[in-house]
Amino acid sequence: IERFLVSSDEEPFIEKSSKGDTPILVSDDGKMRLAIIGWLKTVEWLQWYDVQADPGGTLDSDPHQRGSVENLSVISGAFEVEVGGVVETARAGESLRYRCDRQHIIRCIGPEPGHATMVVILKAAVME
């Protein structure tokens, strides 16, 4: 980002995206929607999503590259994350950080819809 911001003409940088320009990914069950709100130029090392989920929605993800970490911050509702047979729950105001370089599942639990942000850090330092 610094290389981009430091230009010969030193112009300020502001890029605006409209709701209609935002790509949406949908889970296989159709109950989870991930709006890609991160900068597409960073997709190889940093991904940022707005997650909207119906109760019971499940996102079953294949492993990302070695050392990758996801951060799920719950805005409303409740989610659980399962990685390697370990399950942890987060409610509004709580966050979960977990290895995503192995199979991982995110579920919207409880009777109400869920809303969260998710940041995926790829090419992270390998966890010990």
Side-chain angles (χ1 to χ4, degrees):
I1 292 176
E2 288 177 299
R3 275 187 283 139
F4 186 86
L5 293 176
V6 178
S7 62
S8 59
D9 55 6
E10 297 186 24
E11 292 286 325
F13 172 73
I14 299 177
E15 182 178 278
K16 181 178 180 177
S17 297
S18 69
K19 185 175 181 178
D21 293 333
T22 303
I24 306 288
L25 305 174
V26 179
S27 62
D28 289 340
D29 65 6
K31 294 183 176 184
M32 293 188 81
R33 294 156 304 284
L34 284 73
I36 302 173
I37 58 175
W39 198 18
L40 292 180
K41 291 184 180 187
T42 67
V43 73
E44 290 185 20
W45 58 275
L46 179 69
Q47 300 171 4
W48 184 6
Y49 302 93
D50 180 73
V51 180
Q52 301 279 339
D54 297 328
T58 300
L59 180 65
D60 192 342
S61 297
D62 290 329
H64 302 301
Q65 66 195 55
R66 183 168 168 74
S68 299
V69 175
E70 275 182 12
N71 304 268
L72 184 76
S73 296
V74 181
I75 297 167
S76 63
F79 290 85
E80 71 178 17
V81 173
E82 180 177 349
V83 180
V86 176
V87 177
E88 187 64 59
T89 301
R91 297 183 180 357
E94 298 178 326
S95 296
L96 296 172
R97 280 170 285 286
Y98 47 92
R99 292 183 71 155
C100 61
D101 59 358
R102 53 194 65 194
Q103 189 78 21
H104 53 289
I105 303 168
I106 302 170
R107 296 180 189 94
C108 180
I109 59 173
E112 64 185 59
H115 184 202
T117 59
M118 181 171 58
V119 176
V120 184
I121 304 168
L122 303 166
K123 299 182 181 178
V126 175
M127 299 179 69
E128 296 183 34

